[in-house]
Amino acid sequence: MTRLIGYFVIIVLVAVGFAWIADRPGNVTIQWLGYDIQTSVFIGSVALLLAFVIVFLLGWLGLLTWTGPKKFRGRMQRRRQRVGQEAVRRGIFAAGAGDKSAALKADAIARRTVPNEPLALLLQAQSAQLNEDSIASRQAFERMLEKPEMAELGLRGLYMEAKKANQNEAAKQFAERALAANPALAWSSSALFEIQSREGDWRAALKTLQIAKEHRHLAKPEADRRRSLLLTQLAIELEDSQPSKALAYATEAFDLSPTLIPAAVVAGRILTTQGQTSRATKILTQAWRSTQHPEIALTFAHARRGDSPRDRLARVKSLVAAGSQTLEGAVAVAVSAIDAQEWKTARLALEPYLANNPPARVCRLMARIEAGQNRDSGRAREWLAKAARGAPDPVWVAPDGTVSAEWQPISPTTGALGSFEWKTPPANASANPDDFAAEISALDVVSLEGESLPDSYAKTKGLSGRSNEPVDVVASPVGKDGSDAKTPPTPANDTATSNALVTTPETTVEAEEVTTPVDRFRRR
């Protein structure tokens, strides 16, 4: 509109000018190269104007002839650019929607029109992934590394391709490069932390976790939880070789996560071996109040070196009294009472849990009581039969259904950190460590096993204080012919039995003393 008004104004001015000249007649004489040219002022003005127009047109045509091809090529290039960019836009949308054919078609157009466009590389990688062409997708991501603005995207794409191909070492290297290039990338710290945790490289995982925490990739509670799990595993591994460092790791882990049972147990064991009974008692009591676990009670019972079985029973009673009254507390008291041969105390502790299909461990403890107190092998077998039908003992269970007798920082199936929980396993995954059917079928013998702990938790250095104390009870009843029944061999999975007390109607004989620190601490 503005241009049209401008043209109109120019025409009006020209017309007014010619009218003004026409109203003022006159002659114009030109003498040039022997020629005399005479005309009116009006005709001369028109001729002059036409001369200017002709010169302008000739100049324009010359300029167009000189610059025309270049402008034409530029215009065609811009057109191809528009077509290519539109293809990239449509292709990325199609790839995001999972439309493989549309994405591949758009990618072909983009390759012809805008081969150097950064987003075209992204479209190439996405369309190749949709087409399940891992080689083409890797090549596209590798070309991204040559462009500084796309290097981080290329590293992530290569990491994902390596993970898809189960090339864990390559994936780790790509994650490390991405984290080194830009520590603010959340995916690189998370991916590297997962790989390091799976490999058991706990110290490297701690460093990666610190980077993630500094850049706020994780909330502080989650970062503290992960750190406590890593420190606990380090403490378990260093408990024998470097107890001082292991104690520092375990106490820090417990401070970060007071409900982390293994951290409290490891700290309690090491403090006990160092003679710091009061500090061990404090940590274990605090842990018991937050999460009751049989291992806490066991470690607490042996926290004071040199105690007799009755002294340990008194300590366990004080621990149980400090928390809520639960089955774990009753089992802890019963185990210590059986160790001290306080049969009445053991019965009273378990009595509230004997009705309505009692748990398997309660039944096994009752079998030990019947064999140890009354030498009643028949009642002991009845309790073992009930144990086979009772609720299974709590174990460490991961959300994926993995069951482990020992705590582990990560799930061996999914690699998830901190997934194991102490709880009753699902019916399809539970299995008692004792073969109850075999025990019941051996009618001449009843082999009674007490509460046992995972091997990783049964480690210590001479916590029992006394090496000649009866702990386990194995009843050897009299056969039908009046002779002693032959005791079957200990099951293969029972590796923690120590100081067994063998009782018959006539005699009570202690088994040979086991003097290794680990065996003295284990109580079944």
Side-chain angles (χ1 to χ4, degrees), residues 33-375:
L33 298 177
Y35 293 96
D36 292 334
I37 300 173
Q38 186 174 0
T39 184
S40 65
V41 174
F42 180 78
I43 297 300
S45 300
V46 172
L48 183 61
L49 180 60
L50 289 174
F52 275 116
V53 171
I54 291 171
V55 171
F56 176 78
L57 289 175
L58 291 175
W60 179 76
L61 288 174
L63 184 63
L64 182 62
T65 302
W66 180 261
T67 62
K70 183 178 180 179
K71 287 184 177 181
F72 180 75
R73 288 194 301 269
R75 182 174 296 179
M76 293 300 295
Q77 186 177 0
R78 288 192 295 272
R79 182 178 178 275
R80 286 196 303 269
Q81 191 80 9
R82 289 195 300 270
V83 173
Q85 290 177 348
E86 178 64 20
V88 170
R89 185 183 68 84
R90 288 186 286 103
I92 290 177
F93 290 162
D99 189 347
K100 182 174 71 172
S101 61
L104 291 173
K105 182 178 179 180
D107 178 44
I109 297 174
R111 286 173 184 267
R112 292 195 308 268
T113 55
V114 285
N116 297 322
E117 175 69 25
L119 289 179
L121 286 176
L122 177 60
L123 176 59
Q124 291 178 24
Q126 290 181 333
S127 59
Q129 287 176 336
L130 284 176
N131 199 34
E132 297 182 355
D133 189 350
S134 59
I135 296 177
S137 63
R138 283 201 301 269
Q139 291 175 348
F141 287 125
E142 287 172 356
R143 287 197 296 271
M144 291 181 189
L145 300 180
E146 302 173 359
K147 300 179 180 296
E149 68 274 16
M150 301 191 71
E152 295 175 359
L153 177 59
L155 286 172
R156 185 176 189 186
L158 290 172
Y159 164 79
M160 295 175 65
E161 289 296 323
K163 288 288 289 183
K164 189 185 301 183
N166 292 325
Q167 298 176 356
N168 295 326
E169 184 60 31
K172 180 180 179 181
Q173 292 180 9
F174 291 132
E176 289 175 342
R177 288 175 59 184
L179 187 63
N182 186 3
L185 292 175
W187 76 264
S188 59
S189 62
S190 176
L192 185 58
F193 179 81
E194 178 184 351
I195 294 173
Q196 291 167 341
S197 298
R198 277 182 173 272
E199 294 178 349
D201 192 353
W202 313 118
R203 290 182 173 84
L206 282 171
K207 294 180 180 178
T208 304
L209 180 62
Q210 183 62 29
I211 294 175
K213 184 178 180 180
E214 291 175 354
H215 290 84
R216 300 182 180 180
H217 299 162
L218 297 172
K220 187 177 183 302
E222 175 63 16
D224 290 344
R225 184 187 74 87
R226 294 188 181 187
R227 180 174 177 80
S228 64
L229 294 170
L230 297 176
L231 290 174
T232 300
Q233 182 61 25
L234 278 173
I236 292 174
E237 294 179 357
L238 299 176
E239 182 178 356
D240 292 333
S241 59
Q242 303 180 47
S244 298
K245 185 174 291 187
L247 177 60
Y249 289 152
T251 52
E252 182 182 351
F254 183 71
D255 291 339
L256 292 173
S257 182
T259 60
L260 189 55
I261 298 169
V265 172
V266 172
R269 286 201 299 253
I270 297 176
L271 288 171
T272 300
T273 60
Q274 295 179 352
Q276 302 184 50
T277 303
S278 59
R279 189 180 174 192
T281 300
K282 180 180 179 181
I283 291 177
L284 294 170
T285 302
Q286 182 180 352
W288 178 266
R289 288 172 178 171
S290 60
T291 306
Q292 296 187 3
H293 189 276
E295 200 156 355
I296 298 176
L298 178 67
T299 309
F300 186 89
H302 294 81
R304 189 166 55 204
R305 307 176 72 173
D307 279 356
S308 65
R310 292 188 178 182
D311 293 333
R312 292 198 292 269
L313 173 60
R315 287 181 56 79
V316 171
K317 285 183 176 180
S318 67
L319 176 67
V320 172
S324 58
Q325 302 301 315
T326 62
L327 174 61
E328 295 296 342
V331 168
V333 171
V335 170
S336 297
I338 292 174
D339 185 17
Q341 299 188 26
E342 294 286 345
W343 311 112
K344 183 178 180 180
T345 302
R347 285 182 183 274
L348 290 176
L350 299 176
E351 187 174 357
Y353 304 97
L354 297 181
N356 300 326
N357 192 20
R361 51 183 168 164
V362 172
C363 296
R364 291 201 302 273
L365 289 173
M366 287 302 301
R368 293 179 65 191
I369 294 172
E370 293 293 346
Q373 182 182 17
N374 301 324
R375 281 86 168 169

